């Protein structure tokens, strides 16, 4: 396997605490050796070993690829009018999901594939090397199954979100919809999904409905995640902890008890600054979570309703500016925190043996991610060939290279 050495790194963030230089595992004037799969060596630039290929970082900062642990990338249509109304004071209540469901049901698979690919490319341009993708904009058996298939073409971290909201045709039969999700829909989607998610909130599913769906999903072999406490103190966090979900996402309404429960659990609190920004919500209390010792992840929540955001650097900038996170905390949460939210130990860091997902910045320090919002701050993304190749997405579903 060919080896590559990246030299002249002004600031190398490994997130490898075993290096004994703090939790960020940060080295200055450093070098990094990788092969096509893994990190092989990390150390001082002066000691860098020879390799088949050399990449001169030219005194720029290097970070692990971002792990975006929460997206809804597969959808059709857009909802900019809803966004404009919110900027003029309208509240977000999840009602617009039905609009995206209608356009997604009507879209061809080729259109969905093409737009998902564009969003995935945009994420990668901003340094995202691992992405979770949810279904949830079809809300019927065939449609959810189709979205799961398309999501699988772009990620190994695929989440079944049949329980996003109750679709229009079931408004008078919520129980019937929960049965559909727990039964035929789950049976169809579980074999091609790793995760199940439920929007447990006001206007979506209550705690009992969510528990029934998540319990069925767990029995079907899926691991769990929850959209919780975005719109109210609706019990989503306690439920996520009760069921050992890997992550509970949004967490805008956060009591001290919620934080205590998170701290005593293996459930990560995933914060979504793009959603708070685009709904004019009060930002989640990142600082309170951190000060009490909870594990926090940051993700884009890319979706057409609450967060049409494909830039992880933008997410970091808001987390620092408006959620009062330290730059290093935000960087850790968008890399190693995202990995924890996906229960992955091979991504989100650049310790020896980690997946060789490396981002070279166009800046001498990683702090520029937040310091220069809107700039094209990512110079080069080096990631392990797999889903991605230099010519396009490798589609496991079709066994060919997609170069759309
Ligand atoms: O993560 N909160 C629920 N789901 C999405 C938004 C869905 C939509 O409005 O289209 C979210 O914010
Ligand atoms: Fe979401």
């Amino acid at each position: 396997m060919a080896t590559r050495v990246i030299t002249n790194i002004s600031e190398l963030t490994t997130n490898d605490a075993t290096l004994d230089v703090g939790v960020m595992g940060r080295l200055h004037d450093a070098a990094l050796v990788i092969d096509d799969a893994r990190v092989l060596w990390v150390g001082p630039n002066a000691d860098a070993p020879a390799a088949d290929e050399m990449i001169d970082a030219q005194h720029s900062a290097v970070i692990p690829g971002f792990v975006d642990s929460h997206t809804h990338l597969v959808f059709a249509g857009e909802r900019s009018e809803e966004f404009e109304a919110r900027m003029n004071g309208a509240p977000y209540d999840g009602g617009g999901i039905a609009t995206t469901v209608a356009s997604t049901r009507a879209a061809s698979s080729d259109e969905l594939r093409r737009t998902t690919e564009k969003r995935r490319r945009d994420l990668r341009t901003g340094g995202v090397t691992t992405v979770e993708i949810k279904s949830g904009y079809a809300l019927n058996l065939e449609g959810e199954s189709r979205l799961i298939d398309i999501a699988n073409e772009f990620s190994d971290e695929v989440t079944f979100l049949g329980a996003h909201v109750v679709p229009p045709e079931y408004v008078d039969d919520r129980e019937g919809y929960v049965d559909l999700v727990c039964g035929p829909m789950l049976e169809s989607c579980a074999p091609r999904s790793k995760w199940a998610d439920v929007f447990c909130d006001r206007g979506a599913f209550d705690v009992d409905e969510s528990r029934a769906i998540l319990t069925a999903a767990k029995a079907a072999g899926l691991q769990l995640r929850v959209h919780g406490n975005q719109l109210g103190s609706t019990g989503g966090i306690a439920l996520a902890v009760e069921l050992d979900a890997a992550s509970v996402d949004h967490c805008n309404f956060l009591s001290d008890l919620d934080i205590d429960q998170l701290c005593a659990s293996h459930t990560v609190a995933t914060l979504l600054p793009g959603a708070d920004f685009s709904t004019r919500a009060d930002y989640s209390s990142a600082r309170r979570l951190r000060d009490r010792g909870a594990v926090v992840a940051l993700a884009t929540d890319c979706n057409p309703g609450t967060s049409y955001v494909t830039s992880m650097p933008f997410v970091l900038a808001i987390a620092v500016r408006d959620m009062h996170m330290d730059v290093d905390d935000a960087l850790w949460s968008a890399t190693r925190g995202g990995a924890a939210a996906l229960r992955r130990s091979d991504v989100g860091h650049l310790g020896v043996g980690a997946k060789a997902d490396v981002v070279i910045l166009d800046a001498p320090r990683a702090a520029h991610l937040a310091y220069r919002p809107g700039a094209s701050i990512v110079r080069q993304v080096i990631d392990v060939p797999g889903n991605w190749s230099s010519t396009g997405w490798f589609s496991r579903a079709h066994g060919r290279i997609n170069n759309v």
Side-chain angles (χ1 to χ4, degrees):
M1 220 185 276
T3 56
R4 278 185 279 188
V5 59
I6 305 171
T7 60
N8 292 316
I9 302 171
S10 57
E11 181 198 84
L12 172 61
T13 301
T14 66
N15 288 340
D16 179 2
T18 66
L19 292 180
D20 272 347
V21 285
V23 74
M24 304 304 289
R26 184 162 285 152
L27 303 175
H28 296 274
D29 199 13
L32 177 76
V33 180
I34 58 174
D35 64 15
D36 290 341
R38 302 279 155 196
V39 174
L40 302 179
W41 183 91
V42 173
N45 192 54
D47 299 343
D52 298 321
E53 187 191 338
M54 192 186 83
I55 298 171
D56 185 348
Q58 299 173 330
H59 305 286
S60 295
V62 166
I63 59 170
F66 291 122
V67 179
D68 189 356
S69 61
H70 183 141
T71 82
H72 306 248
L73 279 201
V74 195
F75 64 84
E78 57 90 32
R79 283 156 48 199
S80 54
E81 287 178 10
E82 192 186 308
F83 170 77
E84 285 185 286
R86 279 201 303 273
M87 293 305 106
N88 285 314
Y92 174 74
D93 62 4
I97 293 173
T99 309
T100 303
V101 168
S103 29
T104 303
R105 285 178 179 176
S108 71
S109 297
D110 276 352
E111 181 193 339
L112 290 171
R113 196 170 280 122
R114 189 174 48 73
T115 52
T116 302
E117 164 145 11
K118 171 71 171 80
R119 289 170 204 128
R120 180 62 187 91
R121 281 183 190 276
D122 287 350
L123 284 169
R124 188 176 184 274
T125 300
V128 172
T129 51
T130 302
V131 63
E132 179 262 13
I133 305 179
K134 302 174 199 298
S135 68
Y137 284 120
L139 308 182
N140 55 26
L141 181 62
E142 299 73 25
E144 284 295 303
S145 176
R146 179 168 75 131
L147 300 189
I148 293 286
D149 274 342
I150 294 170
N152 265 284
E153 295 179 27
F154 298 94
S155 177
D156 290 330
E157 303 290 347
V158 171
T159 301
F160 168 55
L161 179 59
H164 202 176
V165 288
V166 174
E169 62 273 23
Y170 275 91
V171 277
D172 297 324
D173 182 16
R174 297 182 63 82
E175 213 180 309
Y177 188 67
V178 172
D179 288 347
L180 175 65
V181 173
C182 292
M185 223 189 249
L186 185 60
E187 198 181 320
S188 162
C189 295
R192 288 161 293 131
S193 306
K194 178 171 173 185
W195 303 96
D197 194 343
V198 172
F199 186 12
C200 175
D201 220 320
R202 189 169 293 154
F205 295 89
D206 67 24
V207 167
D208 289 338
E209 293 166 336
S210 301
R211 185 185 287 106
I213 294 161
L214 291 166
T215 304
K218 201 172 197 171
L222 299 185
Q223 299 178 70
L224 309 181
R225 22 200 349 99
V226 176
H227 280 71
N229 291 36
Q230 177 187 14
L231 305 175
S233 297
T234 46
I237 294 174
L239 181 67
V241 169
E242 173 193 323
L243 298 176
D244 187 33
S247 178
V248 56
D249 302 36
H250 286 289
C251 302
N252 295 80
F253 291 80
L254 200 52
S255 68
D256 285 342
L257 180 63
D258 290 328
I259 300 180
D260 285 344
Q261 289 183 328
L262 284 167
C263 290
S265 76
H266 297 291
T267 302
V268 171
T270 298
L271 308 186
L272 307 166
D276 301 344
F277 178 92
S278 300
T279 58
R280 264 203 214 290
D282 290 338
Y283 287 98
S284 319
S285 304
R287 202 89 211 187
R288 276 168 69 221
L289 285 161
R290 178 204 186 274
D291 291 348
R292 305 272 289 278
V295 178
V296 173
L298 288 172
T300 62
D301 191 15
C302 179
N303 78 79
T306 61
S307 184
Y308 206 158
V309 169
T310 47
S311 167
M312 202 57 135
F314 176 67
V315 167
L316 258 81
I318 317 177
V320 170
R321 166 64 175 75
D322 290 329
M323 289 176 145
H324 302 271
M325 289 180 86
D326 292 336
V327 174
D328 280 353
D329 283 342
L331 176 57
W332 189 95
S333 292
T335 50
R336 196 117 206 199
L342 294 173
R343 298 214 164 145
R344 296 270 300 264
S345 57
D346 60 330
V347 295
H349 69 102
L350 294 173
V352 170
K355 202 157 166 261
D357 290 339
V358 183
V359 171
I360 305 177
L361 298 179
D362 210 357
R365 301 182 64 233
H368 284 231
L369 286 159
Y371 168 56
R372 293 166 56 200
S376 304
I377 207 81
V378 171
R379 182 192 298 158
Q380 190 177 351
V381 178
I382 301 167
D383 50 4
V384 174
N387 280 359
W388 175 264
S389 80
S390 55
T391 49
W393 292 100
F394 176 70
S395 161
R396 277 163 294 138
H398 302 289
R400 62 180 167 80
I401 298 288
N402 277 334
N403 191 7
V404 186

